[in-house]
Amino acid sequence: SVVPGVPRETRVKLVLLGDTGVGKSAIVVRFVQGEFSEESKVTVGAAFLAKSLRIPEHGPDAAVKFEIWDTAGQERYASLAPLYYRGAGAAVVVYDITSPASFEKARFWVKELQKHASPNINIVLVGNKKDLGDTRRAVSREDARAFANENGMAMECEASALSGEGVVEIFKSVAMSLW
Ligand code: GTP
Ligand code: MG
């Protein structure tokens, strides 16, 4: 039954994966707290954060609660990843547009998710640090789009945790795919 005034909330477990330093934690902090901190710390193990997002397109009370696992990208933590992507409804695979090695790592994570995660997981590819794109871009948008298309991914986009550009859109696209 629907109680008036109480949000009709759908929950989704979302995991972020990607090389160390690509900005996964910065994206989550930007989304959850609306800020960017220069003094970021490398994630150890994983961090959990939750945040609800209203989806007015689906009614005044419609909302999605994201249960977010921000994983550690350092190689020594790679074996923990299945603990976090198992049972996840969505995965945000992040690379840094100034780092081809991080794009290679993103490709690795997409393949791993396709092999071992839930078959209907919604995978989003995100090129972060778009603010550095004019001077330091090393991964083209075309290459990212081609990879996303070849792998049937739900969405491909670029974002900047620093400026905030494109960050809410990542989560919004995941939310919209739930309806
Ligand atoms: P791990 O926790 O080790 O996996 O790294 P991470 O992916 O969580 O990276 P983190 O969010 O800690 O960011 C790494 C560095 O990149 C920090 O110095 C951030 O300030 C910087 N950074 C993150 N996002 C952006 C961005 O959008 N633009 C710029 N210019 N720098 C960013
Ligand atoms: Mg981190």
Side-chain angles (χ1 to χ4, degrees):
S1 67
V2 177
V3 182
V6 173
R8 192 163 52 80
E9 204 170 62
T10 302
R11 286 198 283 173
V12 63
K13 176 180 170 182
L14 180 150
V15 63
L16 283 105
L17 294 163
D19 208 352
T20 183
V22 297
K24 298 178 297 299
S25 298
I27 287 170
V28 175
V29 168
R30 168 62 75 185
F31 176 58
V32 173
Q33 289 157 22
E35 60 191 32
F36 179 80
S37 163
E38 290 291 341
E39 301 114 61
S40 69
K41 286 201 193 80
V42 163
T43 304
V44 173
F48 178 81
L49 292 95
K51 160 106 175 166
S52 288
L53 184 67
R54 288 188 173 271
I55 310 295
E57 292 88 339
H58 289 283
D61 293 337
V64 172
K65 182 179 184 185
F66 291 97
E67 298 172 340
I68 304 168
W69 285 101
D70 170 23
T71 65
Q74 289 183 334
E75 198 53 45
R76 73 183 80 148
Y77 301 112
S79 65
L80 298 179
L83 296 175
Y84 304 105
Y85 66 64
R86 196 171 291 144
V92 175
V93 177
V94 184
Y95 65 95
D96 169 351
I97 66 159
T98 73
S99 163
S102 77
F103 187 59
E104 280 310 306
K105 200 55 178 271
R107 298 163 75 105
F108 163 84
W109 282 121
V110 170
K111 301 285 181 198
E112 168 138 345
L113 288 167
Q114 287 172 339
K115 266 185 254 156
H116 301 295
S118 160
N120 43 27
I121 193 168
N122 192 345
I123 307 176
V124 178
L125 182 67
V126 177
N128 189 39
K129 309 198 186 182
K130 192 180 183 193
D131 55 284
L132 302 176
D134 289 344
T135 50
R136 293 177 48 196
R137 175 181 293 275
V139 180
S140 76
R141 190 74 192 264
E142 290 68 32
D143 286 354
R145 284 207 177 114
F147 178 70
N149 287 339
E150 283 158 21
N151 288 276
M153 295 170 66
M155 194 179 102
E156 172 281 318
C157 63
E158 290 186 350
S160 168
L162 189 151
S163 73
E165 184 185 352
V167 172
V168 175
E169 286 75 6
I170 298 166
F171 295 87
K172 188 84 186 248
S173 81
V174 170
M176 296 300 279
S177 73
L178 301 173
W179 267 271

